[in-house]
Amino acid sequence: MSMIFTALPSNPESSYFQGFSARMFGSFIQSAREKAGLPIEPAAWLAGMCTEEWVSLEAGDLLPNTREEFRLIAAAIDVEWETMARIVMMCSRAWGVQ
């Protein structure tokens, strides 16, 4: 599956939805990690991240930008690639996609 990202115009409304979507993505990641029974530290290590980065990821303050980053995160929390792709599509506004 190929996704083409197009930036939204910058305005207060798009910024609001971008932040909301980023936090929603972080919540999905946190829920999947908890479902997998992983504490933050091991999940971060498995994804090649430091603990602070993972905490920022779950808060919606840090977003993956490459397919490899998404794959590492998905593998760390035992989420199938297709499921991760669906989560990204649902939260696409976090990356500026409408």
Side-chain angles (χ1 to χ4, degrees):
M1 172 171 32
S2 176
M3 297 185 293
I4 298 173
F5 292 94
T6 306
L8 291 172
S10 181
N11 62 50
E13 183 178 308
S14 67
S15 294
Y16 169 79
F17 285 113
Q18 191 168 7
F20 175 82
S21 296
R23 289 186 301 278
M24 186 168 66
F25 177 78
S27 292
F28 278 121
I29 298 302
Q30 180 180 4
S31 294
R33 176 186 57 77
E34 290 172 349
K35 182 179 178 188
L38 279 174
I40 291 173
E41 293 80 7
W45 183 83
L46 288 168
M49 302 169 74
C50 69
T51 303
E52 292 79 17
E53 289 172 321
W54 191 276
V55 169
S56 292
L57 175 72
E58 288 188 1
D61 296 329
L62 176 76
L63 295 170
N65 288 306
T66 67
R67 183 179 292 245
E68 183 62 22
E69 290 171 341
F70 285 110
R71 286 191 183 278
L72 288 169
I73 292 165
I77 56 177
D78 199 27
V79 169
E80 293 183 11
W81 176 246
E82 293 79 15
T83 301
M84 177 61 85
R86 285 187 197 105
I87 292 168
V88 171
M89 291 301 291
M90 285 189 300
C91 302
S92 61
R93 283 191 173 187
W95 289 271
V97 179
Q98 191 167 16

